[in-house]
Amino acid sequence: MSTKLRILSLLKQQKGSNISGQALADTLGLSRTSIWKGIKTLQEEGYIIEAVTNKGYRLSEKSDVISIEGIRSFLHTDLKTFPIHTFKTIDSTNNKARSFAMKSSQNQGVVLAEEQTKGRGRLGKSFYSPSQTGIYMSFFLKPNLSMADATLVTTATAVAVCLAIEKLTTKRPSIKWVNDIYLNDTKICGILTEAVSDFESGKIETLIVGVGLNVKEPLTGFPTEISTIAGSLTTDTEKEISDRNLLIAEIMNQFHMIYQTIEERTFLEEYKKRCFVIGRKITFKERKQEFEAIPIDIDPQGGLVVQLADGQQRTLSYGEIIMKKPFD
């Protein structure tokens, strides 16, 4: 472990409390100069480390920087070598993940960014991605899945995000079919899945799964156009998630466990439990015609089974559903 990471580890153990430079040096077996250089490097990387005369150094409770080392420390053993790529600012993690998948020899990996300048959602929508308040991550995978089974990855990812949140906090998020995660009637997370397929074999060559999760509300608030529907996982006064690395790692852990047996579809029961649209009136469009319906089930492919006003049943495999407020 590098000098800066050894210093960071010790500061995290004492997070919010002061520890003198001499105590750091003695504990780590380093010189005071090495400690000073390590602290400066960490500060340059974005960690909020306060230096107080006669008291030493303190890692602020508000310090929360995404790092490869920080994520790895919370991953399950079989994911310790999973390729992770982090960026301070990027146009889109999905774009970068696609680039890695196309140009590198890696068969899988994850791309993360502190900020996206052109974050994307479904149906051409943008995803607001300000710095240091969210988790913007994209898996790239080269699965041995059929086109039909690949559609399950979106629902599997939604379940993984919910399970991670539930494990680390007291929150109980719910899912709006097919890819939005809600908390307290506001959207906190969106999922965008993109695929590159081989039409001759009918197999997926590359799968990109993007997750955009609002962990904290931006200091200036959400833009006006989404202020009534966007929300965040935590508030400024809550301390359940003080390290986004932990939440990122747990999402990866949960996704990996589900993905290993995705074709068995056992995770769909967890999806149904959290899908709040079941039993509620919705509208949807097909060929420019609008229909009213009531969702009654999730099919084995993750499709939404709905019952129309005339009693007919139909399965929606993709598209957008609209509900009455507050879930529109």
Side-chain angles (χ1 to χ4, degrees):
M1 186 183 292
S2 66
T3 296
K4 70 171 184 179
L5 292 181
R6 294 174 65 197
I7 294 171
L8 180 61
S9 178
L10 197 53
L11 288 173
K12 280 186 174 181
Q13 293 174 31
Q14 304 288 331
K15 194 171 186 178
S17 301
N18 294 303
I19 180 169
S20 70
Q22 190 59 58
L24 282 168
D26 292 343
T27 303
L28 298 176
L30 299 169
S31 68
R32 290 289 299 273
T33 301
S34 294
I35 295 296
W36 180 81
K37 288 181 178 179
I39 293 290
K40 294 297 289 183
T41 299
L42 290 168
Q43 289 173 328
E44 289 169 0
E45 291 180 0
Y47 290 94
I48 304 174
I49 300 174
E50 300 161 351
V52 182
T53 304
N54 297 325
K55 290 186 177 181
Y57 301 103
R58 179 176 65 183
L59 180 63
S60 171
E61 293 183 353
K62 295 182 179 180
S63 185
D64 181 19
V65 178
I66 292 174
S67 69
I68 294 174
E69 298 84 359
I71 295 167
R72 287 204 193 285
S73 65
F74 298 114
L75 289 175
H76 291 167
T77 302
D78 53 350
L79 285 177
K80 290 295 186 182
T81 60
F82 194 88
I84 302 173
H85 308 273
T86 61
F87 300 87
K88 284 190 176 181
T89 301
I90 201 173
D91 60 346
S92 161
T93 57
N94 263 34
N95 288 349
K96 182 59 73 172
R98 181 187 292 270
S99 177
F100 275 121
M102 296 295 102
K103 297 178 181 179
S104 75
S105 60
Q106 296 174 345
N107 289 321
Q108 59 183 359
V110 65
V111 174
L112 297 117
E114 282 282 3
E115 177 185 29
Q116 291 184 118
T117 58
K118 295 181 180 178
R120 294 186 288 115
R122 292 177 66 244
L123 306 177
K125 297 178 181 178
S126 61
F127 189 90
Y128 184 55
S129 315
S131 177
Q132 298 183 322
T133 64
I135 290 173
Y136 318 119
M137 61 190 295
S138 295
F139 294 98
F140 60 91
L141 310 160
K142 296 184 179 178
N144 184 28
L145 294 175
S146 66
M147 287 287 287
D149 286 346
T151 62
L152 294 169
V153 177
T154 300
T155 47
T157 306
V159 172
V161 172
C162 287
L163 290 174
I165 291 172
E166 291 165 11
K167 181 174 180 178
L168 300 177
T169 76
T170 58
K171 307 295 175 63
R172 293 296 177 264
S174 54
I175 302 170
K176 177 185 175 185
W177 186 88
V178 59
N179 69 331
D180 293 335
I181 296 174
Y182 275 63
L183 185 68
N184 300 326
D185 299 345
T186 58
K187 178 180 173 180
I188 64 169
C189 178
I191 297 164
L192 175 64
T193 304
E194 300 174 308
V196 177
S197 61
D198 184 327
F199 288 102
E200 290 187 4
S201 67
K203 293 287 186 179
I204 295 294
E205 291 183 344
T206 304
L207 205 59
I208 310 296
V209 188
V211 176
L213 172 60
N214 302 326
V215 179
K216 296 174 283 190
E217 184 172 339
L219 290 176
T220 56
F222 291 103
T224 303
E225 61 269 23
I226 61 171
S227 61
T228 59
I229 59 173
S232 58
L233 176 60
T234 62
T235 65
D236 287 340
T237 59
E238 294 173 328
K239 297 182 179 180
E240 287 186 305
I241 296 294
S242 60
D243 187 349
R244 284 175 296 159
N245 293 309
L246 172 59
L247 182 52
I248 290 166
E250 192 55 38
I251 291 172
M252 292 176 64
N253 289 335
Q254 296 292 340
F255 178 78
H256 181 69
M257 287 189 291
I258 295 172
Y259 185 69
Q260 298 309 299
T261 58
I262 194 168
E263 292 171 284
E264 296 177 13
R265 293 168 167 74
T266 54
F267 72 92
L268 284 175
E269 285 304 314
E270 296 296 328
Y271 187 91
K272 290 180 188 180
K273 288 179 188 177
R274 295 165 177 80
C275 187
F276 67 76
V277 306
I278 302 295
R280 296 175 179 268
K281 184 180 288 186
I282 66 165
T283 61
F284 67 93
K285 288 184 177 180
E286 280 189 356
R287 300 184 183 92
K288 298 183 179 181
Q289 185 177 357
E290 186 171 285
F291 297 87
E292 284 192 352
I294 295 178
I296 58 176
D297 200 4
I298 301 294
D299 82 351
Q301 295 302 132
L304 186 66
V305 182
V306 302
Q307 183 169 300
L308 304 179
D310 61 4
Q312 292 185 55
Q313 291 186 10
R314 190 174 301 182
T315 300
L316 309 181
S317 300
Y318 57 89
E320 192 82 0
I321 62 171
I322 299 175
M323 302 182 68
K324 291 183 179 181
K325 290 185 177 181
F327 299 106
D328 60 0

